[in-house]
Amino acid sequence: MCSVSLSRVEWLERHQIVIYLAALVLGAVAGLVLPGGASALELAIYPVLGALLYATFLQVPFTALTRAFRDVRFLSATMVLNFVVVPVVVAAAIALIPLPQAVLLGVLLVLLTPCIDYVIVFSGLAGGAHQRLLAAAPLLMLAQMVALPLMLVLFMGPGLADIVEIGPFLEAFLILIVLPLGLAWATETLAARHRSGQRITSAMNAAMVPLMTATLFVVVASQFPQIEDQVGAVMSVVPLYVAFLVVMAGLGLLLARVFRLDVPSSRALIFSGATRNSLVVLPLALALPEAYAITPVIVVTQTLVELIGMVIYVRAVPWLVPAQARSMR
């Protein structure tokens, strides 16, 4: 029974990108064919997304936060890449490509926040130092929660306060970020002492792909009726997201050489700079006023572009940083 369950989880993980694409297509079709069901599906977003974020945060070892501070060189490179280099790249991109404000906000939300979850999996598949990324994940999470509001004001100006309604925004932050984060921390603490906590963690890890699939479906199906006449605007950000993946591969490699990282750490750094934290910022996008209904879809679009990009990265990054290369330490 256990082996069957394990094989099912492995099958889901192996085919996750195709599954996510199918969820997007089915969500768009459902939103188009049954626009009246959008309000009912919208009610499902919070429970499904909350469960997904709980499962996501369980993969972040907050109970081992001190480990990250021991790897000063890798941690410094990761922080510089994500909070210095990436904002400069984003600033250059939006200067070259004018975007409507609702689209711009979605792009900023997703590109300014580094990934903390499946980057670890993809980095490991490419022979990267995924354990170092795992140790750095709590600091990346905390840093982006502090840095994101400051960077949004920097990019969009004080007018951001007129866009964000503090009530719904705060509600989404507390229910969909703080609550799952607190539950994940409590579960990690429980797992360190009791088998029940370990069982919960294993079950939530196995549920990641189904939860992600359900989230993509309900978000697209509930939002599509509101933005079906703006599909062109959604598609316009795809080249930007593709360009971001290409540029960040080169800049990640360059910074790895500057910090004289070894081969596994260099690969992990490249993945960290390229992957973004769409799941965590999605609740914030969903809390925006109705005029910004396209913003969550802009965030979800990045997720799908990135997932397809990761398939290429898993093959390309080992080529960029070959194993036989001389250690740069």
Side-chain angles (χ1 to χ4, degrees), residues 87-112:
V88 171
V89 171
V90 172
I94 64 175
L96 292 171
I97 308 171
L99 298 170
Q101 195 168 43
V103 175
L104 172 62
L105 185 52
V107 168
L108 293 175
L109 278 170
V110 73
L111 291 188
L112 293 174

Side-chain angles (χ1 to χ4, degrees), residues 197-266:
Q198 297 170 11
R199 289 194 184 114
I200 293 170
T201 301
S202 297
M204 294 309 296
N205 287 341
M208 277 292 293
V209 174
L211 286 171
M212 180 70 166
T213 304
T215 299
L216 292 173
F217 175 81
V218 297
V219 169
V220 173
S222 63
Q223 302 301 308
F224 192 80
Q226 301 179 58
I227 60 97
E228 61 178 307
D229 58 340
Q230 302 181 65
V231 173
V234 174
M235 296 306 297
S236 71
V237 299
V238 171
L240 189 155
Y241 290 149
V242 171
F244 181 84
L245 287 171
V246 173
V247 170
M248 290 311 302
L251 292 177
L253 177 61
L254 178 62
L255 202 66
R257 290 177 175 171
V258 169
F259 278 85
R260 299 175 60 81
L261 299 179
D262 59 24
V263 168
S265 296
S266 297

Side-chain angles (χ1 to χ4, degrees), residues 42-159:
E42 198 162 355
L43 293 175
I45 292 177
Y46 267 34
V48 173
L49 184 54
L52 175 62
L53 288 171
Y54 170 56
T56 299
F57 292 144
L58 271 177
Q59 299 184 36
V60 180
F62 286 97
T63 52
L65 185 60
T66 55
R67 279 192 299 163
F69 291 101
R70 299 173 194 162
D71 197 353
V72 176
R73 185 182 296 181
F74 179 76
L75 182 61
S76 299
T78 304
M79 299 297 278
V80 169
L81 182 61
N82 283 294
F83 298 107
V84 178
V85 175
V86 167
V88 171
V89 171
V90 172
I94 64 175
L96 292 171
I97 308 171
L99 298 170
Q101 195 168 43
V103 175
L104 172 62
L105 185 52
V107 168
L108 293 175
L109 278 170
V110 73
L111 291 188
L112 293 174
T113 50
C115 184
I116 57 166
D117 41 68
Y118 59 68
V119 60
I120 298 163
V121 176
F122 285 116
S123 175
L125 290 173
H130 60 286
Q131 289 296 332
R132 289 183 170 180
L133 280 177
L134 186 65
L139 286 177
L140 284 173
M141 180 65 197
L142 296 173
Q144 66 189 263
M145 289 176 72
V146 173
L148 181 60
L150 300 175
M151 288 192 289
L152 287 178
V153 171
L154 180 64
F155 278 98
M156 300 196 70

